[in-house]
Amino acid sequence: MTLPRKNKVEESPHFNEIVKRLSEGESGRSVSAWLKNTYNEDISFAALNRYKNKINMPKRVEAELNKRAQKKKELKKAQKKKELESKTEKEVQKQADKEETAEENNNTVAETIASNMEGVAKVAAQFPERFEQACKDAQDPDSNVTSKDVARLSLDANKLYNEYFKQDETNFEINLNEGFEELEDALKKSRELAEKD
């Protein structure tokens, strides 16, 4: 079995100096000239450059691995940043939807209250006149309206007022229409009775 033949650089008595110079970055041409001038030794710059590549290979491989590791790290960091931005965007959308829904609900409640307030205002505007008429009718001996009817009308009005300003604990909605029909019916009946007589 024959061992592989060493190249001229490895056979040189100045091998360690050659490796040192090449490792420090000196060019093959420069080291070739130095060997010729200092030791009168002939090694071509091409052979020295090939050997330089050979001894620098582990460093180059390490540098490449470091470069790849850095790229992976940067890629992973960019991916995490993108995921965080995506998560943040989803949270922003969710919060915006929540606030928009709350605002729409508030607007709906406000519109309902405003609409019901018109009904309250209408009944309230007519109530003093109707109440006064009911009182007059109650004083008329020929009328079927009694003081109990007037008191009942007053109590119904007070009850409606209290119910309007009381919130339902289960759904926090105010039912403004409930009872007003009864009040209007009571007023209407008292008017009809008064007109009959």
Side-chain angles (χ1 to χ4, degrees), residues 2-195:
T2 57
L3 293 172
R5 187 175 162 243
K6 290 184 177 182
N7 61 37
K8 279 183 100 173
V9 175
E10 290 171 341
E11 289 177 346
S12 170
H14 310 103
F15 174 75
N16 290 337
E17 291 177 86
I18 293 170
V19 169
K20 185 175 184 278
R21 286 174 171 265
L22 291 174
S23 297
E24 290 174 350
E26 200 170 328
S27 69
R29 194 175 296 277
S30 173
V31 173
S32 180
W34 167 76
L35 283 169
K36 182 71 174 166
N37 295 335
T38 309
Y39 301 111
N40 199 23
E41 183 178 356
D42 286 321
I43 300 177
S44 71
F45 72 87
L48 289 164
N49 281 337
R50 278 193 302 274
Y51 196 78
K52 181 178 181 180
N53 284 337
K54 185 179 174 183
I55 62 171
N56 284 338
M57 187 60 70
K59 288 182 182 176
R60 290 177 68 191
V61 168
E62 185 181 355
E64 179 62 24
L65 289 173
N66 288 341
K67 185 178 169 184
R68 289 181 186 183
Q70 185 63 30
K71 276 187 180 178
K72 283 181 184 176
K73 188 177 178 182
E74 288 170 4
L75 185 65
K76 196 172 185 179
K77 187 177 178 182
Q79 191 174 8
K80 280 186 179 180
K81 183 179 177 185
K82 189 175 179 181
E83 286 172 4
L84 180 63
E85 286 173 355
S86 175
K87 187 177 178 182
T88 303
E89 183 59 29
K90 283 180 185 175
E91 192 59 36
V92 165
Q93 292 297 326
K94 185 178 174 183
Q95 189 65 29
D97 289 346
K98 189 176 176 183
E99 288 185 21
E100 185 178 50
T101 301
E103 187 176 334
E104 286 172 0
N105 288 342
N106 286 342
N107 289 341
T108 302
V109 169
E111 287 169 9
T112 302
I113 289 173
S115 175
N116 289 338
M117 282 300 293
E118 288 176 13
V120 170
K122 182 179 174 186
V123 171
Q126 295 171 356
F127 182 77
E129 182 184 323
R130 290 181 179 177
F131 184 74
E132 186 180 327
Q133 184 62 45
C135 288
K136 284 180 186 175
D137 291 344
Q139 291 175 356
D140 185 356
D142 296 331
S143 171
N144 290 338
V145 178
T146 67
S147 57
K148 283 184 181 181
D149 294 330
V150 174
R152 173 84 176 138
L153 188 62
S154 179
L155 286 171
D156 285 347
N158 192 38
K159 181 181 171 190
L160 289 172
Y161 174 84
N162 287 332
E163 285 179 5
Y164 172 73
F165 288 102
K166 180 183 173 190
Q167 290 186 345
D168 182 3
E169 293 176 7
T170 56
N171 61 10
F172 297 100
E173 290 181 9
I174 300 171
N175 189 350
L176 299 179
N177 292 325
E178 191 175 307
F180 279 102
E181 289 176 9
E182 293 171 15
L183 177 61
E184 283 199 282
D185 285 346
L187 290 170
K188 189 175 179 184
K189 283 179 186 174
S190 67
R191 286 290 260 196
E192 285 171 358
L193 289 172
E195 287 173 3

